[in-house]
Amino acid sequence: MQQLLSEAQISEGIARLAAEIESFYDGHRKLTIIGVMTGSVVLLADLIRRLPRTIRVGLVQARSYRGASTTPGALTIRADMLPDVRNRDVLVVDDIFDTGQTLFELFLELDELGPASVRSLVLLRKQGRSKVPIEPDHVGFDIPDRFVVGYGLDFEDAYRNLPYVAALDDAELAAGPPP
Ligand code: IMP
Ligand code: MG
């Protein structure tokens, strides 16, 4: 396992993202932040505590079964979990932008609900992987095309609780998650 981002680097990145959000949305707009479960929960908790404004927080579940494979399976979105977003400014928060399929499909679902605006924020963006015509609006860090874990990201449900981001090598991926 090779550490890619330390706790201190992540913390600086979150501070930078929070400052971007504060300067983009003026203080009078009713911002609704929607975290994509489960990978975004650590990021969500750290990010919202750096926003001094009044916000609403919601969660949505988007699941593409893939394990160690980097090819996403069919995506299921639990849109019934979404809060009322009509006429609201929505910021979708996810752990990583890989192929972009999750954010792309989520944007299509959200558009049906009549929000005032929808933008996105991700901690990580993998280089050279996008298969969709959108890019995230706020990006913490661009990373190489490796399978990463920690700070919310999992390998078959393991490693979400690591406080840093690390890349697994091929042998570690082939060996499977820890028991
Ligand atoms: P996308 O739909 O291909 O952009 O993938 C986004 C989702 O796939 C993320 O929310 C993650 O749950 C998962 N994912 C993509 N790459 C990785 C990775 O390197 N490690 C762990 N999960 C990943
Ligand atoms: Mg995810």
Side-chain angles (χ1 to χ4, degrees), residues 137-178:
D137 298 291
H138 302 276
V139 177
F141 303 91
D142 279 301
I143 59 162
D145 183 8
R146 310 262 316 261
F147 192 85
V148 290
V149 295
Y151 200 75
L153 292 126
D154 73 304
F155 173 36
E156 293 177 22
D157 293 322
Y159 302 121
R160 287 196 203 277
N161 50 325
L162 294 178
Y164 51 84
V165 171
L168 298 181
D169 62 34
D170 290 344
E172 289 167 317
L173 291 171

Side-chain angles (χ1 to χ4, degrees), residues 36-39 62 94-95:
V36 183
M37 281 166 61
T38 302
D94 204 359
D95 50 3

Side-chain angles (χ1 to χ4, degrees), residues 110-137:
L110 282 164
D111 275 343
E112 306 277 300
L113 305 173
S117 69
V118 185
R119 300 173 85 256
S120 60
L121 178 151
V122 294
L123 180 71
L124 308 172
R125 173 171 56 191
K126 266 191 216 176
Q127 273 153 6
R129 294 267 305 161
S130 178
K131 294 189 172 121
V132 295
I134 57 162
E135 284 293 326
D137 298 291

